[in-house]
Amino acid sequence: MTNKNLRKYSSIVVDGVTQAPSRAMLRAVGFEDADFDKPQIGIASTWSMVTPCNMHINKLAEDVNKATDAAGGKGIIYGCITISDGISMGTEGMKYSLVSREVIADEIETVSGCMGHDAIIAIGGCDKNMPGLLMGMARLDRPSIFIYGGTIQPGPNHTNVISVFEAVGGHAAGKVSDIELKQIEDTAIPGPGSCGGMYTANTMASAIEALGMSLPNSSAQDAISQEKVDDCLQAGEAIMHLIEHDIKPSDIMTRAAFDNAIKVVIALGGSTNAVLHLLAMAHSMKVKLELEDFTTIGRQTPMLADLKPSGKYLMSELIKIGGIQPLMKTMLEAGMLDGSCMTVTGRTTAENLADVAPYPAGQDIIRPLDNPIKKDSHLVVLKGNLSPGGAVAKITGKEGLSFSGNARVFESEEECLRGVLDGTVVKGDVLVIRYEGPRGAPGMREMLSPTAAIMGAGLGNDVALITDGRFSGGSHGFVVGHVTPEAIEGGPIAIVENGDRISIDAETNELKLELSDEEIATRLAQWEKPAPRYTRGVLAKYAAMVTSASEGAVTDKHC
């Protein structure tokens, strides 16, 4: 191949007499004559000091930049936004969280599309920016690699950010003193990296590695480690190989690869947000993936990892025994994964796993296939007269497989949190938080504050919670989110009243409001749609365009 063949997009921007102004501007940012003959690699950095998840990514981006230049490309770093779920959780600001996924996807498409980048390397740390980066790369479909920023180290006594949220509930219940709460607050988050359990960030990093879009082990490295630096340095040669062989996301992000990713997420006990994000990523890649596919795949895939939030261990401990590669090899050898899928190494999944060693003897973080924590998926898609469009529950079996109780209805997350902290919520309640969906909030907030408070108050086994919003990867207990249609669309969740009987059954996959069809129809006929909460700006635009959670809550379906 000639250099121009490697510069399918950048040559349009910088070649020829007419593009002298373009070259002149690029010289000001450091280009020299020889650089115009090199493939240009856009390095999308989500560095920001708004969150510890991303505070170190500027250094990783510099490592990637050096590696691409050394491999014969020309790296160009640009910034993408990020927000912090953990900091904004439980506030109005959290409504921007899922919205940021769409903004980030738009940024990748806009910047690399405009500037004629021949390839993209994107570095993400917090959960929304990871699927957002993948969605942008999928839309452009140019050679691309994702690099995970890495996980955080635990605080003293095995603490992490969820420990702080749960301590708030414990404090309200009189189980945690002022001094203990302050100690946990001061020490639980010791430095850079994403939240330490199998929460959404580590779930999505693992899913993306299983999908084939990051280098092996990228999902299982500490944020501050030589392994993470090496991951960045290896990306330079890897991206040049992808450019030379014209291997694009569409060659990697196939339906079979998505199936692999879903199976690995299930085996790891990953976050319900993976359902939302994988649906959105598949949409961006024009791959047919539907909510019901998670049920079909889930019947055949066991949950094997004893990881937080419902389990014992943190990601840093999984890293020490080899990360997800030995798990993937075990699943491949059992016929559970498709080994023929192409990856960003330029090799197949099976080729990448060929020399992977098994987990060390005696470890109990990842169970063997014949002794699972749960024989099928913990991600349960529920349907019924309360969620005719589907809902997603995270049920590991530790909470039991069914729950029935009387509805206690809240019109917002804040209202529910107050009810937990002031003792309004009691054993046997099914908490209903509505008008928190993609359009209703808008933005589909995560319900970590109330779910953590429930656990901290010692009510984790005694109440259930359903919502048209969603949950943090750190949420656990008997929780059901993504209820569709959402309340703002006139879904049945909008007409639930205090005292109504609700039953949740993870064996029959049913979410049921114990009312007659006639009573439900009467209430729906009397329901009045509330006025939109926002009429200007990004939240209003999002509410006008977003699809339902069962479709991934994407904003470009009807364009």
Side-chain angles (χ1 to χ4, degrees), residues 505-558:
D505 194 321
E507 294 186 293
T508 62
N509 294 353
E510 190 173 23
L511 178 60
K512 187 175 182 181
L513 181 60
E514 304 286 355
L515 295 176
S516 67
D517 293 344
E518 292 76 16
E519 176 62 18
I520 291 173
T522 298
R523 291 189 190 182
L524 286 171
Q526 296 171 346
W527 173 79
E528 295 182 5
K529 185 173 183 174
R533 288 168 166 160
Y534 290 84
T535 57
R536 294 289 186 273
V538 67
L539 291 179
K541 288 191 290 184
Y542 181 84
M545 296 186 293
V546 70
T547 63
S548 78
S550 63
E551 298 176 295
V554 297
T555 54
D556 63 347
K557 180 177 180 180
H558 303 298

Side-chain angles (χ1 to χ4, degrees), residues 204-222:
M204 291 312 303
S206 300
I208 292 166
E209 181 176 329
L211 190 64
M213 284 300 294
S214 59
L215 295 173
N217 288 319
S218 186
S219 72
Q221 293 161 344
D222 293 322

Side-chain angles (χ1 to χ4, degrees), residues 456-477:
L459 292 170
N461 295 323
D462 302 309
V463 302
L465 190 155
I466 69 170
T467 179
D468 52 5
R470 59 198 176 98
F471 295 107
S472 162
S475 293
H476 57 123

